[in-house]
Amino acid sequence: MPLTDAQLRNLTEPGKYFDGGGLFLDLTKAGGRYWRLKFRHGGKEKLLALGVYPTVSLKAARDLASDARKTLKGGCDPGALRKAEKAKVVQETVNTLEAVSRDWLIHQAARWAPVTLARIRASLEADIFPTLGARPIASIKPGEVMSAVKKVEARGAADQADRVLKRVKAVYRWAVTHERIESNPMVDLVPSEILKPRHVTHRPALADSDLPAFLAKLAAYDGDPHTVNALRLLMLTATRPGETRGALWAEFDLDAALWIIPAVRMKMKLEHRVPLSRQAVEVLRTMQSLSGDRELVFPSPFYPSKSLSENTFNSALARMGFKGTATAHGFRALFSTVANECNWNPDVIERQLAHVERNGVRAAYHRSTYLDDRVKLMQWWADYLDGRKTGKVLKMKKRAA
């Protein structure tokens, strides 16, 4: 006979009490009351746990048993199906977007400089993890990622939005490759179809006509000598601001008038040899009395174990009256413009700027460092700057070698 609620409430004797169709209540000696369903699949008798009475009522147990029988009729084992569902839940708990992203970061770490790794991690922590990080990576829809990056764009950070989108897509590609997810739902997310067109604005660069006034103000600037001399070396070498700020004494051979910047500190991860003009060597000789006993050539006056901060150069330029009209990085554009106008070999100029040849075929056969030519170029540039202090212009009528 089928079981009744009254009967179930009054059971005291341990044993199995059947309701019909393989459903029964197992009353254990310890007092536990467990719903079970007896069934056969693949020629074998099996049991399916359906919960504990009275948390699972008689009616609920019958409904669960009915669902299991329907699964059996469809040719599937309800027990195996339940195990698969539990495994899926466990997998999704482990494979959240944040967990997979952090594994991706670990995998990529050897390819990036520490500062790059930290920057990429910070962007995901700020713009993706708070809203999507705890979600199973397989459950996130493209529209949700699109919404997250558009919020970044809405705060005026269009470039950051583009980078964040590309990083999320990279995480999903990696997840597919490493079988953390079956397919990549983000493959059709194209930045140009999601984000608004961006107008590229180049960093303000000092004009050649402004050089006399600027050089006069730099000579009279009463700021920290580390900053003043760093700006001088920056102009004289046409290096990137970060390369100058992070310069180490171990990288210089002043007797040979050569600065060798290791690959790890270069944007393109290639060693860069910088010829030093007579004036550049003089700047470095001056710095020896200020920081020669330290590792860094231009340590921060506030934190000597660290280099000058990223904003130090531009803050100094602003105090000199050049806010919005000149940036530290813009000195490279000034050097390139003047050198090209004075007919120096463009390949020599580009090599001095540590630009990599974009044409792959040409790059393979065009590996010259033009060091001898660059020695002449940088001495000419230093002399040019000296001349501009008094308004003199050193033009070249013929192309230099």
Side-chain angles (χ1 to χ4, degrees), residues 46-361:
K46 299 183 179 183
L47 288 179
L48 180 66
L50 298 179
V52 181
Y53 180 84
T55 302
V56 176
S57 67
L58 174 59
K59 181 180 183 306
R62 287 170 175 168
D63 289 342
L64 290 171
S66 176
D67 290 341
R69 294 186 195 103
K70 291 178 182 177
T71 300
L72 276 170
K73 285 183 179 179
C76 296
D77 181 344
L81 193 62
R82 178 178 292 181
K83 288 180 181 178
E85 290 174 349
K86 287 183 178 179
K88 181 180 179 182
V89 171
V90 171
Q91 183 187 39
E92 289 184 345
T93 301
V94 173
N95 289 331
T96 63
L97 177 57
E98 179 171 351
V100 175
S101 296
R102 293 195 183 280
D103 287 344
W104 171 71
L105 288 168
I106 292 171
H107 182 84
Q108 298 292 99
R111 294 180 172 85
W112 299 325
V115 66
T116 302
L117 176 63
R119 185 168 60 247
I120 293 173
R121 181 188 296 113
S123 72
L124 294 173
E125 290 174 343
D127 299 318
I128 295 297
F129 294 168
T131 55
L132 299 175
R135 296 267 304 281
I137 187 171
S139 73
I140 298 172
K141 306 298 182 184
E144 295 175 290
V145 172
M146 183 171 68
S147 177
V149 298
K150 285 185 76 68
K151 286 181 180 178
V152 179
E153 180 187 42
R155 69 171 188 251
D159 288 339
Q160 178 73 345
D162 182 79
R163 287 191 287 267
V164 168
L165 177 56
K166 290 176 180 176
R167 288 162 189 168
V168 171
K169 292 187 67 175
V171 169
Y172 271 85
R173 286 196 303 272
W174 184 86
V176 171
T177 300
H178 293 270
E179 299 183 348
R180 304 288 288 273
I181 187 175
E182 291 184 1
S183 61
N184 183 358
M186 306 302 162
V187 68
D188 291 328
L189 288 182
V190 180
S192 63
E193 296 175 354
I194 296 171
L195 304 172
K196 297 175 183 177
R198 303 193 306 280
H199 298 287
V200 178
T201 56
H202 297 285
R203 297 178 179 91
L206 199 69
D208 181 56
S209 59
D210 294 327
L211 266 176
F214 173 77
L215 293 169
K217 289 188 177 182
L218 181 61
Y221 186 64
D222 59 357
D224 178 71
H226 296 74
T227 302
V228 174
N229 284 313
L231 280 170
R232 287 173 175 156
L233 188 68
L234 183 70
M235 292 190 72
L236 289 165
T237 57
T239 48
R240 297 180 178 89
E243 295 157 8
T244 299
R245 290 188 299 102
L248 306 173
W249 282 114
E251 297 171 357
F252 291 92
D253 184 341
L254 297 187
D255 292 332
L258 187 64
W259 177 12
I260 302 177
I261 308 176
V264 70
R265 290 213 310 111
M266 293 298 298
K267 179 179 180 180
M268 303 309 295
K269 304 306 176 189
L270 296 172
E271 180 186 273
H272 184 42
R273 293 180 173 244
V274 183
L276 298 172
S277 63
R278 181 183 69 258
Q279 293 88 331
V281 172
E282 288 174 0
V283 170
L284 290 163
R285 297 284 187 199
T286 300
M287 285 305 302
Q288 281 183 322
S289 63
L290 299 173
S291 64
D293 59 340
R294 298 187 179 279
E295 183 180 23
L296 289 161
V297 178
F298 302 108
S300 165
F302 306 106
Y303 306 100
S305 63
K306 298 182 179 180
S307 64
L308 292 172
S309 72
E310 187 174 355
N311 294 323
T312 298
F313 288 156
N314 291 335
S315 295
L317 293 173
R319 285 193 293 272
M320 283 186 273
F322 291 91
K323 183 177 182 179
T325 59
T327 61
H329 197 279
F331 289 133
R332 287 165 57 81
L334 172 65
F335 162 75
S336 177
T337 298
V338 174
N340 275 289
E341 288 179 349
C342 291
N343 295 321
W344 282 89
N345 185 335
D347 286 333
V348 175
I349 296 170
E350 290 299 292
R351 193 65 190 85
Q352 181 57 34
L353 291 169
H355 286 164
V356 175
E357 173 61 53
R358 293 182 182 273
N359 184 310
V361 175

Side-chain angles (χ1 to χ4, degrees), residues 11 75 324:
L11 289 176

